[in-house]
Amino acid sequence: MAVEPAPETSETSPPYIPFRTLMNLVTRMEAEGVPKRIDKGYLNNMAGGVQGQLWAALRSLDLMKEDREPTAALRALVQEGDERPTLIAALLESRYSWALALGTDATNDQLVEAFREHGPRLSASPRKKAISFF
């Protein structure tokens, strides 16, 4: 009897960069065009630690592939400026359904608990930043 491989559990943590950092990247790409790869050379205006956090955020949001190639979703965010608010709303709804399910009457502690469950590798400070991004 053949053993089926276990499903991949490459769950990524919620982004914990400032939302503005993501939007600055989108604005830059809108002006300059989307690069074939979002590498150190492209992000040379950012500190190395920020680059790593940005790459993790882009992967978590399915805006960048493992090889740092932009996805169709990132290209749409860049190229469809008039639709950007709708695209961002859809992106957040798809990636944060677990947080949105709490409803508008959830307490801050409930939100922290949800982020603790869905971002178990995040310590307190990055978790707080991830909640701010959300």
Side-chain angles (χ1 to χ4, degrees):
M1 180 173 169
V3 177
E4 287 187 79
E8 286 190 42
T9 57
S10 61
E11 183 179 323
T12 58
S13 293
Y16 55 95
I17 60 169
F19 186 77
R20 187 79 227 145
T21 300
L22 174 62
M23 295 316 301
N24 286 344
L25 179 70
V26 169
T27 301
R28 176 181 173 194
M29 289 180 179
E30 186 176 32
E32 299 175 359
V34 179
K36 289 186 185 228
R37 188 173 69 184
I38 305 168
D39 56 21
K40 288 182 182 239
Y42 186 75
L43 300 178
N44 63 1
N45 62 328
M46 296 179 177
V50 176
Q51 290 175 10
Q53 291 173 7
L54 179 60
W55 288 324
L58 292 171
R59 281 192 300 274
S60 174
L61 296 169
D62 290 330
L63 297 176
M64 183 180 79
K65 299 175 186 174
E66 285 297 319
D67 63 0
R68 299 191 179 141
E69 180 184 337
T71 63
L74 178 56
R75 291 180 186 284
L77 274 178
V78 170
Q79 296 166 353
E80 299 176 30
D82 292 341
E83 295 297 316
R84 195 169 293 146
T86 303
L87 293 171
I88 290 171
L91 176 69
L92 295 178
E93 287 171 5
S94 72
R95 302 307 293 172
Y96 290 96
S97 59
W98 48 268
L100 294 170
L102 294 172
T104 57
D105 58 347
T107 66
N108 186 62
D109 283 353
Q110 288 175 297
L111 188 60
V112 170
E113 289 167 11
F115 270 81
R116 187 176 294 125
E117 180 181 337
H118 291 275
R121 292 180 274 168
L122 294 178
S123 62
S125 179
R127 184 178 310 114
K128 187 175 181 179
K129 292 175 184 178
I131 292 170
S132 293
F133 180 91
F134 170 70

